[in-house]
Amino acid sequence: MKKHEKNHKKKRTVSLFLAALLAIGALTSCGSSSKDSAQDDSEITSEVDYSQEDNWAYYASAEGETKADVFFVCPTVYSGADDACNMDIQDDDVRGSFLGATNMEKGIYDEETRFFAPYYSQAGLNVYEMDEEEEMEPYLDIAYADVKNAFLYYLEEENDGNPIILAGFSQGGDMCIRLLEDCFADEEVQDLLVACYAIGWRITEEDMEEYPYLTFAEDADDTGVIIAFDAEDPEIEDSIIIPEGTKSLCINPLSWSTDTAVADRSLNLGACFTNYDGEIVTEIPEFTGAYIDEERGALKVTDVSPEEYPSNLPIFEDGSYHTYDYEFFYRNLQENVQTRIDAYLD
């Protein structure tokens, strides 16, 4: 019997797991975005009703038959304001940017999958300008409360034992890691995981030790694993994604190896630069090579320059290719999603 067939028999167990989470207050409500109201995790609740499809950028979107579900968490599009550090998900202007940013990556994940992407009260870019992580965390907790609320709604109402891909970029990658830590300790839920693509975020050996049920990817077709990398110039020694003195785990999306060997640009199936409709505007095969930095665990890019590809955001210095993480390696990621789905179902 194939794994996906077995998973349909696990629905009742997963439902019991969800009931336990709800009983201990796993869904919390965040009426305010002030730091004071967010200091205690137990007080943070999501007030978003995810039974309303209007609160999803995509809800069970699919074309034709599907093999797996994708739960996607959008990267940061909200700049923030003096009196608001979390996005108002009813703001039509920000929703437009949110949907556009989701579309830019959707093509990596949506072949033969159902695609779910909730609107959530993401932290603004102004949060990432704060000096201390302790200052940032309350606003990220508010964002995560919505993401978790949406995921548990999806798991209860829509999953039905289907294989799951978690996917996100930047803040979205951070939220996916939090979901893994928080919701996948249960073996019945773990067994649904094809992979977690936490692109543009870090995860350390210390994180893995704290959450021993997490597994980092080691090759192209292992499943139930985390895929993470953040791209930068060889000269970069510090960033808000991988601060100086931190070493992240990393897998090279060209070789699908965790060693430090240089993967030649000939392995790059195509960089794709997309627009807000998800259309590929420019595609460049054999765009760049890359290798994993032994000290930082960052993905060092070998064949582009900061002058050609500036950072685009003031929170990153030029030489950080964070905003291009998925574009530089688009076709390799797209192929790998299918490889891991097929490996899971085999």
Side-chain angles (χ1 to χ4, degrees):
M1 182 181 292
K2 289 188 176 180
K3 193 171 185 179
H4 67 293
E5 293 170 333
K6 294 177 184 177
N7 284 340
H8 284 279
K9 297 184 178 179
K10 297 175 182 174
K11 185 183 178 187
R12 183 172 182 275
T13 307
V14 171
S15 295
L16 292 172
F17 163 74
L18 286 167
L21 279 180
L22 292 167
I24 61 173
L27 295 184
T28 50
S29 108
C30 81
S32 164
S33 62
S34 71
K35 280 198 292 184
D36 289 342
S37 69
Q39 288 297 334
D40 182 349
D41 286 355
S42 65
E43 296 176 2
I44 302 170
T45 63
S46 169
E47 296 178 345
V48 181
D49 181 0
Y50 285 106
S51 70
Q52 301 298 311
E53 286 196 32
D54 186 55
N55 289 324
W56 296 80
Y58 286 97
Y59 189 82
S61 173
E63 294 183 11
E65 294 193 12
T66 62
K67 297 178 179 178
D69 291 345
V70 175
F71 186 89
F72 179 85
V73 188
C74 182
T76 311
V77 296
Y78 175 60
S79 297
D82 290 341
D83 61 347
C85 290
N86 288 87
M87 169 183 158
D88 176 359
I89 71 166
Q90 301 306 323
D91 184 313
D92 288 339
D93 289 338
V94 184
R95 275 189 169 222
S97 297
F98 190 108
L99 181 61
T102 299
N103 287 340
M104 290 179 74
E105 298 175 61
K106 184 172 179 283
I108 294 171
Y109 302 105
D110 66 356
E111 183 179 348
E112 295 185 296
T113 65
R114 294 193 307 163
F115 194 84
F116 296 81
Y119 289 110
Y120 71 101
S121 305
Q122 63 175 224
L125 286 173
N126 55 346
V127 170
Y128 292 94
E129 294 173 343
M130 295 175 179
D131 293 331
E132 301 293 335
E133 191 169 319
E134 290 76 12
E135 289 183 87
M136 300 165 57
E137 197 58 31
Y139 305 107
L140 294 168
D141 286 342
I142 289 170
Y144 176 65
D146 279 358
V147 172
K148 181 177 180 180
N149 184 2
F151 180 73
L152 293 183
Y153 179 83
Y154 151 77
L155 201 60
E156 174 68 14
E157 300 296 333
E158 286 286 346
N159 174 260
D160 197 29
N162 292 331
I164 300 172
I165 293 172
L166 295 181
F169 166 56
S170 196
Q171 181 174 169
D174 179 12
M175 295 295 119
C176 287
I177 296 291
R178 292 173 191 238
L179 277 177
L180 284 183
E181 293 170 348
D182 201 13
C183 298
F184 282 76
D186 184 272
E187 284 189 17
E188 302 293 344
V189 182
Q190 282 180 41
D191 286 349
L192 300 175
L193 184 67
V194 176
C196 171
Y197 288 83
I199 308 304
W201 202 249
R202 65 182 173 272
I203 185 161
T204 66
E205 288 284 4
E206 291 77 13
D207 295 327
M208 306 298 282
E209 290 170 7
E210 184 175 357
Y211 301 96
Y213 47 88
L214 303 185
T215 305
F216 197 78
E218 295 183 349
D219 56 38
D221 62 357
D222 46 3
T223 60
V225 296
I226 300 166
I227 295 97
F229 62 84
D230 192 56
E232 62 185 31
D233 185 81
E235 299 301 315
I236 295 294
E237 298 179 351
D238 181 40
S239 75
I240 64 170
I241 305 300
I242 307 177
E244 187 173 10
T246 299
K247 183 175 182 180
S248 180
L249 298 175
C250 179
I251 191 164
N252 190 322
L254 299 181
S255 61
W256 297 110
S257 170
T258 58
D259 64 30
T260 58
V262 177
D264 187 75
R265 66 193 302 172
S266 63
L267 296 174
N268 193 313
L269 302 178
C272 294
F273 300 90
T274 53
N275 63 21
Y276 262 17
D277 292 322
E279 299 165 337
I280 296 171
V281 177
T282 304
E283 181 167 358
I284 308 173
E286 300 186 1
F287 177 73
T288 185
Y291 66 93
I292 298 172
D293 180 78
E294 190 170 6
E295 296 296 320
R296 290 173 47 67
L299 185 70
K300 298 293 188 178
V301 176
T302 56
D303 300 293
V304 299
S305 71
E307 292 73 29
E308 295 174 290
Y309 295 93
S311 70
N312 293 327
L313 291 173
I315 57 175
F316 296 103
E317 65 176 300
D318 284 343
S320 168
Y321 299 124
H322 175 75
T323 58
Y324 309 100
D325 275 338
Y326 64 89
E327 292 180 311
F328 282 2
F329 308 101
Y330 189 101
R331 291 298 190 195
N332 293 75
L333 286 166
Q334 186 182 56
E335 179 186 71
N336 186 251
V337 169
Q338 294 305 308
T339 296
R340 292 187 196 275
I341 291 173
D342 290 342
Y344 179 96
L345 295 176
D346 187 11

